[in-house]
Amino acid sequence: MSVQHWVKVALAQINATVGDLAGNANKIVEATRLAHARGARLVLTPELGLCGYPPEDLLLRPAFMQACAQALYDMAHALADCEGLHVVVGHPHQFGERGDLRSRSLVVQQRFNAASVLSGGRVLATYCKRELPNYQVFDERRYFASGRDAGQPVVVFDVDGIKFGLNICEDAWFDESARAAKASGAQVLCVLNASPFHLGKLAEREERMAVRVRDVGLPLLYVHLTGGQDEVVFDGASFALDASGKVAARAAMFQQDLLLVDVRGDGSVQGEVAPVPAFEAQAWAALVTGVHDYIVKNAFPGVIVGLSGGIDSALVLAIAVDALGPEKVRAVMMPSPYTADISRTDARDAAQRLGVRYDEISIVPMFDAFRTNLAGEFAGHDEDATEENIQARIRGTLLMALSNKFGAIVLTTGNKSEMATGYCTLYGDMAGGFAVIKDVAKTLVYRLARWRNAQGCEVIPQRIITRPPSAELRPDQTDQDSLPPYELLDAILQRYMEEDQSVAQIVAAGFPAATVQQVARLIKVNEYKRRQSPVGIRITHRSFGKDWRYPITSLFPA
């Protein structure tokens, strides 16, 4: 066959759920049948798309691995009637070896992050990932062996006279695996991916894959997951690069999609190119996706938000409504003796604009009861953060009581700046099941609020955005009473926490030494709080989750 003919390839961008083998398989089968009906001769699916990513310690359970193997073969059989079609499916895979562990003889099987080529009801070949990431949220060396180190073969297969070579995610960030595929005759490189989102990641992916294309001189097809899985979200945006490294096709971000591209053996690629959303739009979509999939995949009937009249809770409320609809969102305002009247007014206004149920439960009687009962113990001591924390913990108890009674999960409203510095209360405002803006710095909170209000309907009252932020736990309190200005705090936080710069480096960059030392100390001494915080959505390349694994007890200077 001439290399000048076109072969249609489908990139099946699915939203997989970890452990839902039947559901994930059905999504792959449905996308494959649709692609076949549209003329595709090859369908590519994401990395570990059959079991979902990351499956973590499920991979250590023999029953899980056996179920994955059975699901793969069942899928091959189910697609046997798609004549002339090849399907590449990402899945965990095992080859058996005899071994000995702690003097106990047993069968030890290496696990691989694999991709299998299905056609005609059979598994034609299986490729095993060669480069295993072990940084940021990745922990693949805990679970998988390298296909290269284990001597597993390069996989190149023929579809209508064009030879396609397989790589899996990290493989394509280095040159060895792509070059091995080309050396085995590949004319097109197919890369299966489950690459967690962070802001700026899409541009980074396309740039790195363009480098790979120019290095090997082959066009590249990049298929990617979408959807939320615990703290990580996957942004989709599957794409195709021609042999020059130019983006020739791109799927939509943060939604399931079936991207059809035409490829030729001479390196030509053509397809539709979806636009890349703006920075704030990507952040918003990631947060909405994370909330939606965490709630829906875990079968919660709805969410509860403690609404304070401040910017953080108003933003979380708007994200929740965009993710779930107003009927599944409930807002509860819990005024204290220090709650300003305008806070109650603004909280009610925000709830009305978004159309959610709104309730007020005063904590004044409960707070008074606490102070009365503790008066003897606290005699001779001035009021301090103790009384402030009691208020927060009363609110946390009320929200969790409502959650227990009605089944809805509490969304916490603390932002990244607060989590970093400990400006939050254990068992108080940290009480809940999902931390929506845990990885959103305070300055980004304001950017997102303004962006959302500019999308045709002002859902966050303007006064909430313009008022000085306050926890309202004592008279005339503002955040800046105890924290540096947020513009300064967030800039230091980015350098220290996200970029691993030292205190000396940050000071040398022109930041006030006393402030840098204060922030570094607060980050260090509040690790114990973060360890007890709910899981939250990751949108930066370094979040307070799997990315951040610092000891609570440490004498290393900040």
Side-chain angles (χ1 to χ4, degrees):
M1 251 186 178
S2 167
V3 296
Q4 297 305 310
H5 74 284
W6 294 96
V7 171
K8 190 175 294 295
V9 182
L11 310 187
Q13 180 172 293
I14 66 169
N15 183 343
T17 301
V18 167
D20 185 10
L21 304 185
N24 298 336
N26 284 339
K27 288 183 177 182
I28 293 171
V29 168
E30 289 175 3
T32 297
R33 291 194 177 282
L34 178 59
H36 187 240
R38 294 181 178 178
R41 304 293 287 173
L42 171 62
V43 177
L44 304 177
T45 68
E47 175 183 12
L48 295 184
L50 180 58
C51 66
Y53 191 96
E56 298 182 309
D57 280 11
L58 284 174
L59 293 162
L60 306 182
R61 302 187 67 84
F64 179 76
M65 294 300 297
Q66 292 162 9
C68 289
Q70 186 62 53
L72 180 71
Y73 285 103
D74 289 346
M75 187 187 306
H77 178 74
L79 293 171
D81 59 338
C82 292
E83 186 176 352
L85 184 68
H86 289 70
V87 185
V88 179
V89 177
H91 63 98
H93 190 65
Q94 286 183 318
F95 298 97
E97 287 185 351
R98 298 298 304 182
D100 188 77
L101 181 64
R102 298 186 183 275
S103 302
R104 183 163 57 90
S105 181
L106 73 165
V107 174
V108 177
Q109 292 180 301
Q110 289 183 301
R111 288 178 300 273
F112 296 93
N113 183 337
S116 288
V117 183
L118 314 182
S119 186
R122 298 185 299 117
V123 177
L124 301 184
T126 297
Y127 172 83
C128 298
K129 188 174 182 178
R130 300 160 80 89
E131 306 289 347
L132 302 177
N134 232 59
Y135 54 86
Q136 293 179 344
V137 298
F138 301 107
D139 203 10
E140 292 202 13
R141 293 178 194 171
R142 173 178 171 87
Y143 305 108
F144 298 119
S146 163
R148 177 187 55 246
D149 296 346
Q152 295 301 317
V154 172
V155 171
V156 175
F157 59 99
D158 185 285
V159 178
D160 292 352
I162 296 180
K163 296 188 183 306
F164 294 84
L166 293 182
N167 275 193
I168 300 176
C169 204
E170 191 83 357
D171 291 344
W173 288 69
F174 300 92
D175 58 6
E176 188 271 341
S177 297
R179 289 182 178 181
K182 182 177 182 179
S184 296
Q187 297 167 281
V188 179
L189 195 62
C190 303
V191 187
L192 280 62
N193 299 272
S195 175
F197 170 81
H198 64 247
L199 290 164
K201 186 65 177 286
L202 174 57
E204 183 183 0
R205 284 192 209 112
E206 293 185 350
E207 290 168 5
R208 289 294 294 269
M209 291 305 102
V211 169
R212 191 62 47 240
V213 163
R214 290 190 289 269
D215 177 60
V216 297
L218 299 179
L220 183 147
L221 309 179
Y222 186 108
V223 62
H224 191 212
L225 273 176
T226 190
Q229 177 63 40
D230 296 344
E231 73 182 70
V232 297
V233 289
F234 302 96
D235 51 311
S238 301
F239 59 87
L241 305 178
D242 65 20
S244 71
K246 178 184 176 182
V247 175
R250 184 190 299 120
M253 294 189 78
F254 295 106
Q255 64 186 56
Q256 295 191 119
D257 203 356
L258 187 66
L259 179 64
L260 296 173
V261 299
D262 293 308
V263 299
R264 279 197 313 209
D266 64 356
S268 301
V269 181
Q270 62 183 23
E272 295 185 4
V273 181
V276 177
F279 178 91
E280 291 86 356
Q282 289 188 40
W284 191 270
L287 295 167
V288 167
T289 297
V291 170
H292 177 273
D293 281 7
Y294 192 83
I295 302 309
V296 172
K297 290 181 179 181
N298 287 291
F300 289 105
V303 300
I304 300 172
V305 179
L307 205 57
S308 68
I311 184 69
D312 295 319
S313 61
L315 184 72
V316 169
L317 187 71
I319 293 167
V321 170
D322 281 4
L324 304 168
E327 68 281 355
K328 291 190 176 182
V329 181
R330 179 179 180 182
V332 182
M333 171 61 162
M334 296 164 285
S336 79
Y338 310 116
T339 300
D341 288 341
I342 59 173
S343 294
R344 299 174 70 168
T345 300
D346 290 346
R348 189 180 303 112
D349 186 12
Q352 290 174 346
R353 292 179 187 221
L354 288 163
V356 304
R357 174 178 173 177
Y358 173 83
D359 298 287
E360 286 190 12
I361 305 174
S362 173
I363 70 166
V364 173
M366 289 165 272
F367 185 40
D368 288 343
F370 267 94
R371 287 196 287 193
T372 298
N373 281 279
L374 290 168
E377 295 292 335
F378 290 174
H381 294 270
D382 294 333
E383 289 197 352
D384 55 17
T386 304
E387 285 73 20
E388 295 180 20
N389 289 339
I390 287 172
Q391 296 170 69
R393 287 174 179 141
I394 291 170
R395 290 177 172 132
T397 299
L398 291 173
L399 292 173
M400 291 308 299
L402 293 171
S403 175
N404 291 161
K405 185 64 68 176
F406 302 108
I409 188 173
V410 175
L411 301 181
T412 65
T413 61
N415 60 62
K416 189 173 189 174
S417 307
E418 294 170 345
M419 295 300 297
T421 57
Y423 201 73
C424 47
T425 304
L426 273 176
Y427 327 120
D429 55 317
M430 292 175 67
F434 198 57
V436 179
I437 57 173
K438 183 179 183 178
D439 198 31
V440 182
K442 187 75 168 189
T443 47
L444 182 54
V445 166
Y446 283 102
R447 286 179 64 180
L448 291 177
R450 294 186 181 99
W451 177 87
R452 181 61 181 85
N453 275 356
Q455 305 310 303
C457 181
E458 188 176 274
V459 296
I460 298 175
Q462 192 63 31
R463 187 166 60 184
I464 288 179
I465 298 174
T466 57
R467 281 180 66 197
S470 171
E472 292 191 323
L473 297 173
R474 64 174 183 264
D476 303 318
Q477 182 184 31
T478 67
D479 290 1
Q480 259 60 75
D481 294 341
S482 50
L483 292 175
Y486 280 116
E487 292 77 12
L488 178 59
L489 170 62
D490 288 351
I492 295 171
L493 175 61
Q494 179 176 343
R495 288 172 177 266
Y496 184 88
M497 184 258 173
E498 296 183 16
E499 300 174 12
D500 283 325
Q501 292 185 17
S502 68
V503 168
Q505 287 175 313
I506 300 172
V507 172
F511 291 85
T515 305
V516 175
Q517 291 164 356
Q518 176 197 12
V519 172
R521 184 188 66 81
L522 288 172
I523 291 173
K524 180 179 177 180
V525 301
N526 285 291
E527 183 62 32
Y528 78 101
K529 284 188 180 182
R530 291 188 291 270
R531 288 284 186 95
Q532 300 178 69
S533 65
V535 65
I537 304 167
R538 174 187 187 269
I539 66 166
T540 70
H541 78 278
R542 192 82 183 275
S543 67
F544 287 121
K546 292 180 183 178
D547 294 357
W548 182 267
R549 307 184 194 187
Y550 276 76
I552 295 172
T553 305
S554 170
L555 297 183
F556 186 80

